Amino acid sequence: MTTTTSHTPESEGAPAAPLETAAEAVLRPARLIHNEATTEIPVHLLFRDDPDPVAVPVAPAVVGRRRGTGEQPRVRRPAPVRARPVPEVDPELAERPARVLPGAAGVLAGVCGVAGCLFASWWAGALPAAVTPPGLPAGLAGAGPGPAQWAGFAASGALALLGFGGLARGRTGRAWVLGLFGRYRGTVRRTGLMWVNPLVLRRRIDVRLRHWRSEPMPAVDANGVALRVVVLVVWRVKDTARAALGVEDHEGYLRECVEAALSRVLCRLPADPPAAGRGGPGKDGATLRDTEAAGDALTRLVAADTAPVGIEVFSVQPVRVEYAPEVASRMQRRRLAALDAQHRDTVLTSVVDSVEDTVTRLTLRGLVDLDDYERKALVKDLTVAFCTGRTADAD
């Protein structure tokens, strides 16, 4: 019997490799690189001598090497994201209540001062006889006011000025920021009649919930088209000390922050979706017509910028987004052209579907037997007829 042995192309011309024993196979370490086409190398072996203890985030578990060169690709460290600097405000500028007295105390002090002045006048004999109560002498000092009477006049007058001059009326939704010799002394949020030291400088701040509708502000969308945007801002003063003393004009600062946020948000999104004949949408298909998304982004930015000066922003919503006058007519023509093209495409698709359905039914039911030339002529006639009918219906 003849035994036939088959030879494979790999076995021809290659020396027989020595067989490994089981012990050698166990002791031999796992090969990291199998052949020249292998592209898997553990990352920890590449960076085990790296002195930087910070771990490098790499998305895949392995990195590839250039085929046939043995050179490993360089892994670029991601650039750190720098946060926007937050304005620093004097830590001493934190709202605290000021010391005030009830209004009755000021009224009582003023009345006492006036009474003291009258008594000093009577004591010096300077009080007219018509004003002097009956049964009382005209005065104790007939020679005129002396040092004692002048001292009484001064003390009583000062008491009257302090009593009546310190009276103030607190109103709901208003606060007084007090300062003495350039130093913050506290905030008064009380209502009604009260007595405040007349030597302090008072500055009234409106702490009610307020809204501000801006004038049309210029902006540019992601496609570079000039826009005019009107926003509605709902805000209030939360920390009166920082709003009054931490910035020169807190209302002007709020307006500047809104304009800056508009320029940062609107430049990331297009004004219109692609259906209007413009460029592609922004991230996740958002556009400036999505006022909710744009309003949320504006609110976050403005609230973060105004928080250090004691202003609390609740919402910043765009109420009107329109093209600038210099580009409004051109963009209107482009939008009309895009709508017309979309309408034509819809009509053409409907006509083609109707022609196809008509020809298919006629052929399947055996009503007509057409060759290629006749079929093309029928399709042409049906297309013209359907297009004419759709145009007449549209008119």
Side-chain angles (χ1 to χ4, degrees):
M1 180 181 296
T2 304
T3 304
T4 304
T5 305
S6 61
H7 297 277
T8 60
E10 292 80 357
S11 62
E12 294 181 356
L19 300 177
E20 295 180 343
T21 63
E24 293 176 352
V26 173
L27 296 176
R28 182 173 57 84
R31 299 174 62 185
L32 298 179
I33 303 178
H34 300 284
N35 50 43
E36 294 182 357
T38 302
T39 59
E40 295 185 356
I41 298 178
V43 177
H44 68 278
L45 296 180
L46 301 176
F47 300 95
R48 57 184 178 183
D49 296 331
D50 193 352
D52 190 0
V54 181
V56 180
V58 181
V62 296
V63 297
R65 70 180 180 88
R66 299 180 182 178
R67 185 184 299 272
T69 61
E71 181 181 356
Q72 303 298 333
R74 297 180 180 179
V75 179
R76 296 184 178 180
R77 298 174 181 267
V81 179
R82 298 182 179 180
R84 297 177 58 254
V86 178
E88 295 183 0
V89 185
D90 188 357
E92 295 184 359
L93 290 181
E95 181 178 331
R96 59 179 183 271
R99 297 179 180 179
V100 294
L101 297 178
V107 173
L108 180 61
V111 170
C112 292
V114 173
C117 291
L118 293 176
F119 177 77
S121 299
W122 173 77
W123 187 14
L127 195 66
V131 183
T132 304
L136 291 178
L140 299 179
Q149 287 78 19
W150 285 116
F153 273 120
S156 300
L159 182 62
L161 290 177
L162 288 176
F164 290 124
L167 293 177
R169 183 183 62 174
R171 299 175 56 185
T172 303
R174 302 290 195 276
W176 293 98
V177 177
L178 308 182
L180 182 61
F181 304 121
R183 187 175 181 181
Y184 174 63
R185 290 298 183 179
T187 300
V188 180
R189 289 181 178 261
R190 295 177 56 177
T191 59
L193 188 64
M194 56 188 171
W195 184 86
V196 183
N197 185 358
L199 300 180
V200 299
L201 180 63
R202 310 174 192 177
R203 184 172 180 179
R204 177 171 290 183
I205 298 294
D206 192 343
V207 295
R208 295 175 298 177
L209 186 67
R210 305 168 64 183
H211 69 278
W212 169 58
R213 184 186 178 96
S214 70
E215 298 294 331
M217 293 184 291
V220 179
D221 71 345
N223 297 321
V225 179
L227 303 173
R228 291 293 184 271
V229 184
V230 178
V231 297
L232 179 65
V233 185
V234 181
W235 62 285
R236 71 175 179 182
V237 175
K238 184 178 181 180
D239 193 313
T240 57
R242 292 187 175 184
L245 306 176
V247 66
E248 182 177 1
D249 182 10
H250 63 278
E251 295 183 5
Y253 180 79
L254 175 63
R255 289 192 292 268
E256 297 294 337
C257 289
V258 171
E259 293 183 5
L262 277 177
S263 63
R264 292 164 55 190
V265 172
L266 270 63
C267 66
R268 304 175 185 176
L269 301 174
D272 292 316
R278 299 277 310 284
K283 184 179 180 182
D284 299 333
T287 63
L288 295 181
R289 303 302 176 185
D290 185 5
T291 57
E292 184 176 359
D296 292 342
L298 287 173
T299 302
R300 289 194 299 269
L301 291 178
V302 177
D305 291 340
T306 57
V309 296
I311 297 178
E312 185 178 8
V313 176
F314 295 94
S315 68
V316 182
Q317 296 294 332
V319 295
R320 189 169 74 243
V321 180
E322 58 186 13
Y323 296 111
E326 58 270 15
V327 299
S329 59
R330 182 178 302 178
M331 299 307 299
Q332 185 69 17
R333 289 195 299 269
R334 292 184 61 180
R335 177 175 295 181
L336 293 177
L339 293 176
D340 185 64
Q342 184 179 4
H343 174 68
R344 290 177 181 273
D345 181 70
T346 303
V347 171
L348 182 59
T349 302
S350 177
V351 168
V352 171
D353 293 340
S354 300
V355 171
E356 181 183 5
D357 184 60
T358 302
V359 174
T360 302
R361 289 186 178 183
L362 291 175
T363 304
L364 292 179
R365 295 182 181 182
L367 299 178
V368 293
D369 188 8
L370 306 174
D371 55 9
D372 292 341
Y373 178 78
E374 293 174 343
R375 183 180 294 105
K376 293 179 181 179
L378 179 60
V379 169
K380 179 179 179 181
D381 295 339
L382 290 175
T383 302
V384 173
F386 286 148
C387 288
T388 304
R390 294 297 176 87
T391 305
D393 294 342
D395 296 337

